[in-house]
Amino acid sequence: MLYRAGAIRKLGRVDHGDAFLDTDSLEKARGITIFSKQALLTAGNTAITLLDTPGHVDFSTETERTLQVLDYAVLVVSGTDGVQSHTETLWRLLRRYHVPTFVFVNKMDLPGMTREQLLSQLNHRLGEGFVDFGAEPAARNEALALCDERLMAEYLESGTLTETNLAAALARRAWFPCFWGAALRQEGIAELLEGLDRLTLAPAYLPDFAAKVYKISTDSQGSRLTHLKVTGGTLWVRMALPNGEKITQIRLYNGVKYQAVEEVPAGTIAAVTGLNQSYAGEGLGAEQER
């Protein structure tokens, strides 16, 4: 996704130890993602903050913390393995936190199940609402109309479905678009990015300052970092919190590099310094009252 969007110039692979976001020595040694990382890209007219999370069952706690601050998720399913038990675990978490979800079925260039078989398995194992977004428009619209009463009413009245209503239905988790491809061959990635641009809606945020902490880490110099999403108002440097602590720096990470800024609006994912009492899952400001 990052390469296709032009955010990076070189493709990497976690199992080769040169992935853009899997930079920790443990990740390189094991060839898997262990820690959630942040990257920035643009799909069409949509600016996206990508939070890459572990897919391995041993690190599901790291993933669950991150899910709590997502506007949308992309669930990657192996085309050769299909729905696994850990896929079901991730799906339950996405449902619990009510995260609208896109599905990308990877490794479709390798021998395995057909699209029809995989789509049937998704609907059988995870619940209904999975729709092949690459299908012919007529077949796709019929499948979409069966997912939601409002979509059905529009389809019966006009014989078609508008992207605005599709995006609204996706946001309320009435349906889940399925894209197909092979990441190593860059197949299907452009279609996924186009879907993320066309089918997502900007969330509504609180008017007063609010933030949700999802992770605590340290940088290479040992500074304590509080990773959070601003869910209302504005966050600025030297802002004082009720416990007396102050934000001393705001960092916008893109891989291992970051840009220090003075303030950020609602919707921003950032890491801040100066907080020594913060913890994952904590609500700040108006978020405490939710």
Side-chain angles (χ1 to χ4, degrees), residues 38 44 56 71 89 103 112 116 130 138 202 204 206 210 229 237 249 267 271:
Q38 176 179 339
H56 197 281
D71 294 325
T89 300
V103 176
E116 292 74 18
F130 296 89
L206 299 170
K229 177 183 179 179
V237 175
Q249 189 179 48

Side-chain angles (χ1 to χ4, degrees), residues 139-154:
R140 183 181 65 200
N141 284 346
E142 287 182 10
L144 285 163
L146 293 173
C147 295
D148 181 74
E149 290 184 0
R150 285 179 249 185
L151 293 182
M152 175 66 80
E154 181 187 18

Side-chain angles (χ1 to χ4, degrees), residues 196-209:
L196 290 169
D197 179 36
R198 291 165 49 192
L199 296 171
T200 54
L201 300 173
Y205 295 110
L206 299 170
D208 298 325
F209 168 71

Side-chain angles (χ1 to χ4, degrees), residues 189-237:
I189 306 300
E191 291 79 4
L192 174 62
L193 289 172
E194 184 180 1
L196 290 169
D197 179 36
R198 291 165 49 192
L199 296 171
T200 54
L201 300 173
Y205 295 110
L206 299 170
D208 298 325
F209 168 71
K212 181 78 170 181
V213 178
Y214 70 94
K215 178 181 175 180
I216 305 297
S217 70
T218 56
D219 65 13
S220 56
Q221 280 72 48
S223 299
R224 188 178 193 270
L225 298 176
T226 298
H227 300 260
L228 51 77
K229 177 183 179 179
V230 183
T231 55
T234 303
L235 172 70
W236 64 87
V237 175

